[in-house]
Amino acid sequence: DIDQVLYPHDPDRARQLLEEADATDLQLDMIVGAGLTQFVQLAEIIQAQWADVGVDLTVRQGDPAPSADIMFTQQAADSSLSGASGRPDPSQYLYGRMRGDSFGNPGGHTTPRMEELITASITETDPAARQDILRAASREVAESLLEINVVIPQIPYAMRSNASFTPYLT
């Protein structure tokens, strides 16, 4: 029940918000794995969109293998454009990426509500109540911009002509 586009593309509004935040000379960098064509192309699109609102985004292409180390251990990048697999239980993803002290959240960005929902999601045992908690957590992530998912492709894989495809849990 979350709108598909909470924040529509609106460069004029973006410029206004940046000015209100006194972020008129904003310079950011983004790491992206070299050779990962789709990610490089997305990074270039994002870079152009940011430039349109006055933000200088440097795209740093490099070996994908150390990207996680650069982003999460060294905390030596402002952002990262990469793929992510889901988890068998959504609470694992929330715990690992949305808690203020999680390794997967190098900036420590969270909200008190998010922290409450994460705790509730790992302690609630009733499946229906837990589903409501996870929905509320999804809304909190989206509305608080704790993480921005640019695209979530659905890629089917098959090994034989008689194989059937069922989307995986994540």
Side-chain angles (χ1 to χ4, degrees):
D1 61 348
I2 299 174
D3 292 337
Q4 288 299 303
V5 180
L6 290 176
Y7 305 99
H9 183 74
D10 186 344
D12 292 332
R13 178 74 175 132
R15 283 185 211 94
Q16 178 185 354
L17 290 170
L18 287 166
E19 189 173 321
E20 288 172 11
D22 197 27
T24 53
D25 293 322
L26 196 57
Q27 296 183 341
L28 302 171
D29 70 341
M30 174 185 287
I31 56 173
V32 62
L36 302 175
T37 306
Q38 295 93 343
F39 292 110
V40 172
Q41 290 171 341
L42 277 171
E44 290 169 350
I45 291 167
I46 293 167
Q47 182 181 43
Q49 289 178 339
W50 278 102
D52 186 42
V53 298
V55 175
D56 180 17
L57 177 67
T58 300
V59 176
R60 297 187 315 179
Q61 294 184 47
D63 180 1
S67 293
D69 177 57
I70 293 167
M71 185 71 195
F72 302 111
T73 305
Q74 297 176 37
Q75 298 183 11
D78 296 316
S79 62
S80 170
L81 184 64
S82 62
S85 63
R87 300 290 180 262
D89 184 318
S91 292
Q92 291 174 300
Y93 186 80
L94 294 172
Y95 192 93
R97 302 281 299 180
M98 304 302 151
R99 281 179 49 107
D101 60 355
S102 294
F103 174 77
N105 184 355
H109 303 293
T110 193
T111 66
R113 176 80 174 135
M114 187 77 253
E115 296 281 353
E116 291 170 9
L117 290 165
I118 292 169
T119 299
S121 77
I122 59 178
T123 57
E124 179 60 58
T125 58
D126 176 64
R130 193 163 185 273
Q131 187 172 20
D132 289 342
I133 292 165
L134 292 169
R135 283 191 177 126
S138 292
R139 178 175 290 281
E140 183 70 13
V141 170
E143 291 179 350
S144 300
L145 292 172
L146 295 176
E147 184 164 272
I148 300 171
N149 290 299
V150 178
V151 64
I152 302 175
Q154 295 183 7
I155 304 169
Y157 296 92
M159 300 297 183
R160 303 180 149 192
S161 60
N162 64 346
S164 62
F165 177 71
T166 303
Y168 54 96
L169 178 63
T170 58

